[in-house]
């Protein structure tokens, strides 16, 4: 007997399935085995963001849970997945320099912010005309190796089936079925494809396409993540990943010349030495962002046997471990979900009576 049929083996579907299996549930993941947004994503975790250097909502709660989750997975698979690395945040204006200075005096921010460097100080041939700040407790998740390990685990556990999922194969009455399987619940974790889901397409998704480049270079770079409007992650001495573009119009997974040029141009503003690079990989996918920037989690208002766990956008690596735990509590023990992520907040607009 299958307790939960999970549609999609991105980071959301994988970590939720892992959590439910750890608690003794019988899970089956259905995935088409095509590249998903989680595999392309940089997996960045950055607690302080934006021009005003604002701490991500609930980061004091979310970050320890995320680190614990990735540490447990590292122990299980005998392989590191979360790489903690400081980030150098290059100021792009005098006002950013001023905003960062204000934050440094706030005790709530001190665990996340290091030294500020004044304008004019250069570092490893990088242009920092307005100065820069070192951020702490930043890092990135190696999402592709993690998803690959989890997939192998699910296959060994008889919890994975490769298939092209068709909504028309779901039967709700007299009882829930998908093809020849009768699960207790179906949970959709299908990323931006949920905009086509006949039961959940009413949710206000705001998908955003992003492109990422992997490059080889011969420059001297600090072994730190760089944030200069875009981000740069050093993979090893001579390989970097840079990204990511934001495109709300062209919601496809095609890598474009325009995206590549935008990323390379931004990089050349930071370092003239990085104008001579070799392109190793150019990827594009669509992030499942939401209009109110909160995830979409919960049961369908009319068909309680259907649920969704989605909408983590660019913050999946940070948010999904905590939310997986709480959604598992809700599914197995009826625990309440946080109002900010519960899809009930959107019921009124679409369902009455």
């Amino acid at each position: 007997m299958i307790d939960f049929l999970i549609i999609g083996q991105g980071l959301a579907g994988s970590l939720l399935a892992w959590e439910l299996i750890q608690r003794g549930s019988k899970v089956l993941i259905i995935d088409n085995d095509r590249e998903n947004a989680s595999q392309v994503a940089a997996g960045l975790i950055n607690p302080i963001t934006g021009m005003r250097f604002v701490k991500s909502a609930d980061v004091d709660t979310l970050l320890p849970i995320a680190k614990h989750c990735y540490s447990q997975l590292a122990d299980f698979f005998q392989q590191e997945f979360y790489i903690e690395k400081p980030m150098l945040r290059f100021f792009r204006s005098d006002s950013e320099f001023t905003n960062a200075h204000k934050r440094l005096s706030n005790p709530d921010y001190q665990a996340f912010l290091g030294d500020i460097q004044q304008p004019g100080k250069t570092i490893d041939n990088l242009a920092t005309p307005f100065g820069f700040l070192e951020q702490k407790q930043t890092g990135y998740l190696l999402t592709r190796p993690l998803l690959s390990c989890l997939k192998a685990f699910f296959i060994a556990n008889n919890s994975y089936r490769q298939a092209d999922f068709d909504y028309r194969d779901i039967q709700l009455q007299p009882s829930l079925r998908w093809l020849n399987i009768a699960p207790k619940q179906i949970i959709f974790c299908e990323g931006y494809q949920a905009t086509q889901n006949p039961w959940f397409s009413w949710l206000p998704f705001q998908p955003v396409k992003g492109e990422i480049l992997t490059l080889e270079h011969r420059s001297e770079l600090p072994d730190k993540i760089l944030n200069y409007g875009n981000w740069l992650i050093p993979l090893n001495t001579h390989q970097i990943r840079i990204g990511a573009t934001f495109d709300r119009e062209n919601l496809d997974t095609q890598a474009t010349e325009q995206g590549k040029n935008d990323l390379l141009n931004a990089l050349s503003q930071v370092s003239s030495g990085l104008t001579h690079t070799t392109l190793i990989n150019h990827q594009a996918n669509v992030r499942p962002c939401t209009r109110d920037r909160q995830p979409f989690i919960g049961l369908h208002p009319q068909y309680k046997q259907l649920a969704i766990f989605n909408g983590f956008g660019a913050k999946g690596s940070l948010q999904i471990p905590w939310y997986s735990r709480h959604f598992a509590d809700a599914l197995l023990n009826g625990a309440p979900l946080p109002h900010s992520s519960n899809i009930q907040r959107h019921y009124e607009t679409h369902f009455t009576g």
Side-chain angles (χ1 to χ4, degrees), residues 10-30:
L11 196 62
S14 296
L15 292 185
L16 180 62
W18 170 263
E19 184 69 36
L20 289 166
I21 290 168
Q22 301 310 306
R23 298 184 190 208
S25 297
K26 185 77 180 110
V27 172
L28 180 62
I29 296 180
I30 309 299

Side-chain angles (χ1 to χ4, degrees), residues 14-317:
S14 296
L15 292 185
L16 180 62
W18 170 263
E19 184 69 36
L20 289 166
I21 290 168
Q22 301 310 306
R23 298 184 190 208
S25 297
K26 185 77 180 110
V27 172
L28 180 62
I29 296 180
I30 309 299
D31 189 79
N32 60 17
D33 202 32
R34 287 195 277 279
E35 189 171 70
N36 57 51
S38 297
Q39 289 169 314
V40 173
L44 262 187
I45 290 184
N46 177 17
I48 311 286
T49 59
M51 288 188 290
R52 298 189 179 281
F53 299 87
V54 178
K55 196 154 79 159
S56 292
D58 305 317
V59 72
D60 295 311
T61 309
L62 297 172
L63 188 56
I65 299 292
K67 285 186 186 176
H68 179 69
C69 169
Y70 301 135
S71 164
Q72 280 189 317
L73 288 161
D75 288 345
F76 185 86
F77 291 112
Q78 292 296 291
Q79 186 176 337
E80 285 300 319
F81 299 113
Y82 181 60
I83 312 298
E84 198 156 346
K85 220 178 251 300
M87 174 186 282
L88 299 182
R89 168 75 188 269
F90 297 175
F91 303 133
R92 290 186 290 159
S93 65
D94 292 327
S95 62
E96 281 194 12
F97 179 83
T98 310
N99 290 336
H101 248 295
K102 283 182 196 155
R103 292 292 183 215
L104 269 184
S105 57
N106 184 334
D108 291 346
Y109 280 73
Q110 280 168 5
F112 301 102
L113 299 179
D115 296 334
I116 285 187
Q117 298 295 338
Q118 303 286 342
K121 171 157 182 190
T122 57
I123 174 171
D124 289 340
N125 309 314
L126 298 170
T128 59
F130 298 100
F132 62 93
L133 165 79
E134 179 157 311
Q135 290 184 215
K136 299 185 280 192
Q137 300 202 53
T138 49
Y140 60 97
L141 183 67
L142 299 170
T143 46
R144 196 180 280 267
L146 174 58
L147 292 177
S148 174
C149 285
L150 283 166
K151 179 180 172 183
F153 167 78
F154 296 139
I155 290 170
N157 199 52
N158 290 323
S159 296
Y160 181 94
R161 183 185 293 188
Q162 187 182 328
D164 278 314
F165 186 83
D166 190 325
Y167 299 114
R168 291 170 297 189
D169 293 330
I170 290 180
Q171 168 191 309
L172 297 169
Q173 301 295 341
S175 63
L176 184 63
R177 289 190 77 80
W178 174 72
L179 300 177
N180 59 340
I181 292 168
K184 290 179 189 165
Q185 261 175 328
I186 296 178
I187 305 171
F188 293 101
C189 305
E190 65 219 304
Y192 83 103
Q193 306 287 355
T195 54
Q196 309 300 314
N197 186 309
W199 297 285
F200 291 102
S201 59
W202 49 271
L203 286 165
F205 278 95
Q206 196 171 53
V208 181
K209 177 179 177 178
E211 298 186 50
I212 288 179
L213 306 180
T214 307
L215 304 169
E216 197 157 293
H217 68 95
R218 288 274 165 255
S219 294
E220 285 294 318
L221 282 178
D223 187 25
K224 292 174 182 175
I225 300 165
L226 306 183
N227 182 335
Y228 49 94
N230 291 335
W231 46 257
L232 178 155
I233 293 173
L235 301 177
N236 55 43
T237 328
H238 291 300
Q239 277 191 13
I240 52 175
R241 282 188 99 193
I242 61 167
T245 58
F246 271 76
D247 182 351
R248 298 191 194 283
E249 304 303 315
N250 307 294
L251 299 177
D252 57 54
T253 57
Q254 297 303 309
T256 67
E257 203 64 22
Q258 174 79 50
K260 181 180 82 173
N261 291 337
D262 288 350
L263 291 170
L264 290 175
N265 287 339
L267 183 64
S268 68
Q269 304 298 307
V270 177
S271 168
S272 54
L274 287 172
T275 45
H276 305 293
T277 56
T278 310
L279 182 67
I280 294 172
N281 202 358
H282 182 182
Q283 296 159 291
N285 217 292
V286 181
R287 312 172 186 88
C289 299
T290 69
R291 209 160 293 154
D292 64 4
R293 302 188 173 193
Q294 293 290 335
F296 293 151
I297 303 174
L299 310 183
H300 190 278
Q302 290 168 333
Y303 307 108
K304 302 295 185 196
Q305 65 271 55
L306 302 180
I308 190 166
F309 188 66
N310 201 331
F312 296 97
K315 293 200 169 158
S317 308

